[in-house]
Amino acid sequence: RTPSAREWSRPCHPASRCSGAMGKPPGPTHAVARDALEAYKQARLAFVNALNEMLRKDDPSLDAALLDGECLALLHRPLVQDIVPGIQTSALAAMRALASRVDRAGDVLATPETLKKIVSSLSHADPNVVVAGCGVARALASKREAHVRALFDAGALPPLREALDSLNPEILDAAAKCAVAVAQASPWAAERMLDSPPPPASSPETEEKENRRVFATPSDASELSTAAVHEKRVTSEKHKQSGGKKEAVRGKGHSLLECLCSVSSDAKTSLATRATIARFFEACAAHGE
C-alpha cells in the first residue's frame, strides 16, 4: 500500500549502536568478536610455545632455518610487547635462546628499535617478563662489547640497576647474572655498572609495583592456590613490619656495591644468587676496578 502523509513525515531513527545490525540483539555479535580475539590470542601463544620447543633441541641447522625465515622480526615486532605477559615472556625466551647460540641473531637484535622493546621489559610489572628480559640482555652482553654499548644507549642501565634492588628473588638473580655478563664484557662496562646511580626514592606507585612483583601479580594470581595466596599475604605483612637489611639499604641512595654486599649478607638470599654476586665482584676485580 502507499504510505500516508503522516507515515512519510515520521523521522527515521537509525538503529542504536548497542542494538546490532538491523536491530538484532548484541549477544551473538559480541560472542563472535570475543571468539575471534581469543582465537588470535591462542594462535600467538601456540606459535611462541612451538618455537621454544624447537629451540630446546639446540639444533644449529634449525636455528639457521628460523633466522632465515625472519623469525626474530616476528618476535620483536608484535610479540615481545604482547598484552599477554605469558606470550611476551615466551617471545623473550626464544630471543635469548637464539642470541646466546647464534652470533648473527645478536647482531639483528642489537638494533635501536628492538633494544627499546627489550629494555622496556626490564621494568615490566610482571616478574616473569622482567626475568626473561634480563635473560635476553645477558645473552647479548655475553657476545660482544658493542652489544653492551647498544644496550646502555637504549637505556638498559637504570632498569637493570633497579632490578638489582628488587626484593623478588627471581628478578634479583636474573639481574645479577646479567650484571656479570656486562662486567665481563670490558673494564668500561664494569665501571659503568658500578657507578650506576641508585633508583630514585620509592613512591607509593613504585612500592605497589614492587609488592605485586614480590608477592603476587595479575598474571599468576589465578594460578595460585588459596593457601599460597594466604601465605604470600602473611609474608607481605611480616615484610612490612620487619624492616630488615634489604629495606635499610635499598632506595636510599646507596651504591651498587653497598647494595649487593647487603644482599649477599642477607640470610634470605639463596646460595646461587650469592655465588652470582661473587662472580660479578670477580669480573670487576679482574679489570682492576
Side-chain angles (χ1 to χ4, degrees), residues 66-83:
L66 289 170
L67 290 173
D68 291 341
E70 299 186 354
C71 168
L72 290 175
L74 292 174
L75 288 172
H76 85 74
R77 290 197 176 110
L79 296 174
V80 80
Q81 289 187 316
D82 199 279
I83 60 174

Side-chain angles (χ1 to χ4, degrees), residues 8 38-39 53 83 93 96 140 157 172 209 282:
W8 277 115
E38 180 64 21
E53 284 295 328
I83 60 174
R96 179 197 58 78
L140 289 172
L157 190 55
L172 174 60
K209 179 180 178 180
E282 290 174 359

Side-chain angles (χ1 to χ4, degrees), residues 20 25 58 79 87 155 161 199 232:
D58 198 2
L79 296 174
I87 295 175
R161 175 66 175 85
K232 283 179 176 284

Side-chain angles (χ1 to χ4, degrees), residues 72 75-76 80 91-100 109 114 118 136:
L72 290 175
L75 288 172
H76 85 74
V80 80
L92 288 165
M95 279 185 171
R96 179 197 58 78
L98 286 169
S100 63
L109 292 177
T114 307
I118 295 172
V136 180

Side-chain angles (χ1 to χ4, degrees), residues 56-277:
R56 288 190 185 97
K57 298 178 181 179
D58 198 2
D59 182 349
S61 62
L62 185 56
D63 293 346
L66 289 170
L67 290 173
D68 291 341
E70 299 186 354
C71 168
L72 290 175
L74 292 174
L75 288 172
H76 85 74
R77 290 197 176 110
L79 296 174
V80 80
Q81 289 187 316
D82 199 279
I83 60 174
V84 180
I87 295 175
Q88 191 171 356
T89 301
S90 294
L92 288 165
M95 279 185 171
R96 179 197 58 78
L98 286 169
S100 63
R101 298 204 294 253
V102 186
D103 288 342
R104 66 183 173 113
D107 296 336
V108 172
L109 292 177
T111 58
E113 179 189 359
T114 307
L115 289 177
K116 182 179 179 181
K117 297 174 183 178
I118 295 172
V119 168
S120 68
S121 69
L122 301 180
S123 55
H124 198 278
D126 190 297
N128 296 320
V129 175
V130 179
V131 170
C134 287
V136 180
R138 174 190 175 192
L140 289 172
S142 300
K143 289 294 183 180
R144 296 180 183 176
E145 181 187 351
H147 294 169
V148 177
R149 291 182 179 273
L151 280 166
F152 285 174
D153 290 343
L157 190 55
L160 179 58
R161 175 66 175 85
E162 183 178 354
L164 289 166
D165 280 340
S166 178
L167 298 177
N168 182 297
E170 287 78 17
I171 291 178
L172 174 60
D173 187 68
K177 290 176 180 177
C178 183
V180 171
V182 170
Q184 290 174 339
S186 70
W188 166 84
E191 184 177 2
R192 284 287 302 273
M193 278 298 309
L194 287 173
D195 293 342
S196 58
S202 299
S203 64
E205 292 78 11
T206 56
E207 289 180 359
E208 175 63 22
K209 179 180 178 180
E210 181 63 17
N211 284 335
R212 287 170 61 190
R213 283 179 173 178
V214 177
F215 304 111
T217 61
S219 63
D220 63 10
S222 60
E223 300 174 5
L224 294 173
S225 65
T226 304
V229 172
H230 175 71
E231 182 180 354
K232 283 179 176 284
R233 288 175 179 171
V234 171
T235 306
S236 177
E237 291 301 320
K238 291 181 179 179
H239 166 73
K240 292 177 181 178
Q241 296 171 7
S242 63
K245 288 184 178 180
K246 287 184 179 180
E247 292 85 344
V249 169
R250 300 181 190 187
K252 293 190 177 181
H254 289 73
S255 69
L256 177 61
L257 183 63
E258 292 172 307
C259 175
L260 293 180
C261 286
S262 175
V263 171
S264 296
S265 63
D266 194 316
K268 297 178 182 178
T269 304
S270 69
L271 291 176
T273 300
R274 294 184 194 183
T276 301
I277 293 173

